[in-house]
Amino acid sequence: MNIILPVFLIGVSVCWYGMRAIDLLKLSSPSRLQKLLCIIFIWWSVSTFKDLAIYIPGTDTDVVLDHIFYIDGCGAVTFALFLIELTSPGWVRTRRVLLLSAPFLLFLLLHFLANSDLLHTVFTVFFVVFAWSAVLYAMYKSRKYRKAIQETYSNLDDVDISWIWKIIAVFIVCQHVWWAVSDTLDVLADSFYYVSSLVCWSLVMLGVNRMRALRLPDYPGYDGRQADSESETAETLNTRKRTSGLEGRLEKLMEDEELYTNPDLTLSNLVDRLGTNRTYLSEYISTELGTTFYDYVNRLRIERKVIPMLLNGNKNYSLEYIAEQAGFKSLTTFRRAFKKLTGQLPSEYMRQNAGS
């Protein structure tokens, strides 16, 4: 049996996880996700290193494989913790980590005390159910999360988590390969598992490093509570809607001061300027204007800034310059927002309306 490839990949993996953990430890002000990733990478570095045991002559026995099977199964917790913290910022705390890890630790203890085929089967079923539950939870929460950031931020370039779908896809492949080959010693399958794991966590690292720390005051956490004290009853909210006189004030402020050209404009900025409540302002934009804060600001950017610049014969202006002047941080986001509003790309719009 040629063991050079898997042993080489184990060495690469151990070094990669270890170096990434060191890189995260060196950060002066790491985010919650980066702190969590540091711990996860330490786990994966140590856990992967132990796999060398099965390639030492005389140690590739069923007992050793069983030990590794249960220890590796605990790695599902690391994926679950990352997915939950990414889609429910602030969820991961020591007590919750212990509760989530408890079933795996119990299975590991029972394995060492009284291993049996029944226990092996039960653990396998539990692992599959746990892994898919984490995936389905992340898919559900990611949609709510995206809605929450659209109601708070006007720029999603460094807060969007749409890349989570790539992570989930690789995670599913990685875990199913592990599940399929965990009871055997297959060099090619093991090698594929190490590669897919590295790809998965590399994508995670890239995504997290691009993200900025978020504060979503009205985003319900995992336990369903509001993150700050501004929540209101429906009766109070309706009263405010009747008496606040906000109608028109938001629109006038945005028009007069062109606040929409600020690429980092947030709902909180407007709350401070209007002297109102963020829950009410968010509700006003949603119910009265029929949109999200993100789409509202982008519409103003395009209607008040982009289209006039496109139609005024400013042919010397590049799309990058126009997007920047309107408040967009990236050309990709600008094009996407423009097409969503007009049904056309900026270049198509200019050609169609040339001379008008």
Side-chain angles (χ1 to χ4, degrees):
M1 178 179 61
N2 188 354
I3 64 171
I4 295 177
L5 180 60
V7 170
F8 170 76
L9 290 175
I10 289 174
V12 170
S13 299
V14 170
C15 293
W16 189 89
Y17 293 126
M19 288 188 294
R20 297 294 77 77
I22 293 173
D23 290 341
L24 292 168
L25 283 171
K26 290 180 179 179
L27 295 177
S28 57
S29 300
S31 65
R32 287 181 57 87
L33 272 174
Q34 288 172 328
K35 291 177 182 177
L36 177 62
L37 270 186
C38 180
I39 298 173
I40 289 175
F41 286 155
I42 291 173
W43 157 266
W44 275 81
S45 182
V46 175
S47 178
T48 305
F49 180 77
K50 63 123 178 41
D51 290 349
L52 287 173
I54 63 177
Y55 293 102
I56 297 175
T59 60
D60 56 339
T61 64
D62 290 340
V63 174
V64 173
L65 289 175
D66 277 349
H67 292 340
I68 290 178
F69 172 74
Y70 281 92
I71 295 173
D72 282 348
C74 297
V77 176
T78 63
F79 282 105
L81 288 174
F82 171 75
L83 292 177
I84 294 174
E85 181 63 25
L86 180 64
T87 56
S88 298
W91 184 90
V92 173
R93 288 181 170 82
T94 302
R95 181 177 61 86
R96 289 170 174 170
V97 172
L98 292 176
L99 288 174
L100 202 64
S101 306
F104 289 91
L105 296 177
L106 178 60
F107 274 113
L108 189 61
L109 178 62
L110 291 175
H111 161 69
F112 284 109
L113 293 177
N115 189 33
S116 67
D117 291 339
L118 177 60
L119 181 65
H120 189 283
T121 302
V122 173
F123 178 71
T124 302
V125 172
F126 172 78
F127 172 86
V128 172
V129 171
F130 178 90
W132 273 104
S133 297
V135 167
L136 294 175
Y137 173 83
M139 293 168 68
Y140 166 72
K141 292 295 288 187
S142 65
R143 290 188 173 89
K144 298 189 68 175
Y145 177 92
R146 182 173 177 81
K147 184 175 184 296
I149 60 176
Q150 287 181 334
E151 292 173 347
T152 304
Y153 293 92
S154 65
N155 168 39
L156 306 186
D157 290 345
D158 50 4
V159 297
D160 193 16
I161 60 170
S162 57
W163 49 272
I164 192 178
W165 300 104
K166 298 178 183 178
I167 306 300
I168 289 176
V170 179
F171 166 67
I172 291 174
V173 172
C174 179
Q175 292 305 305
H176 277 74
V177 170
W178 171 83
W179 178 48
V181 303
S182 57
D183 288 337
T184 61
L185 191 58
D186 188 300
V187 170
L188 291 179
D190 284 348
S191 299
F192 180 80
Y193 170 72
Y194 295 125
V195 171
S196 61
S197 297
L198 283 174
V199 170
C200 183
W201 289 115
S202 295
L203 291 174
V204 167
M205 190 73 172
L206 289 173
V208 170
N209 284 344
R210 287 197 299 261
M211 289 186 67
R212 56 179 158 133
L214 299 182
R215 182 177 181 272
L216 299 174
D218 290 331
Y219 183 60
Y222 185 83
D223 54 8
R225 295 178 299 180
Q226 293 294 94
D228 67 9
S229 60
E230 292 185 350
S231 60
E232 299 177 309
T233 64
E235 181 179 357
T236 303
L237 187 59
N238 289 332
T239 300
R240 284 181 177 272
K241 289 177 68 176
R242 291 193 300 268
T243 61
S244 69
L246 183 62
E247 292 79 359
R249 292 173 56 206
L250 170 64
E251 293 84 340
K252 188 175 187 305
L253 177 66
M254 295 290 281
E255 292 283 354
D256 291 349
E257 301 189 22
E258 295 188 344
L259 296 180
Y260 49 83
T261 59
N262 176 7
D264 294 317
L265 182 68
T266 67
L267 189 71
S268 296
N269 298 146
L270 297 183
V271 168
D272 293 338
R273 295 298 304 276
L274 293 168
T276 187
N277 176 279
R278 64 170 292 114
T279 304
Y280 168 57
L281 181 57
S282 179
E283 186 73 12
Y284 173 77
I285 294 174
S286 175
T287 58
E288 299 299 318
L289 302 183
T291 185
T292 63
F293 172 72
Y294 174 74
D295 287 333
Y296 170 65
V297 175
N298 280 345
R299 177 169 60 81
L300 291 177
R301 288 168 174 167
I302 293 170
E303 291 179 348
R304 300 293 185 266
K305 208 74 175 177
V306 174
I307 290 179
M309 293 183 75
L310 291 177
L311 298 182
N312 285 344
N314 297 311
K315 296 182 179 180
N316 293 328
Y317 291 160
S318 66
L319 287 181
E320 289 86 351
Y321 176 79
I322 294 175
E324 181 181 352
Q325 291 300 302
F328 290 99
K329 277 194 170 182
S330 75
L331 193 57
T332 300
T333 302
F334 162 57
R335 286 196 175 108
R336 187 183 302 119
F338 192 92
K339 186 169 185 179
K340 180 178 181 180
L341 183 65
T342 66
Q344 298 174 305
L345 291 173
S347 56
E348 297 171 342
Y349 185 88
M350 283 193 293
R351 284 197 300 269
Q352 180 174 320
N353 294 275
S356 62

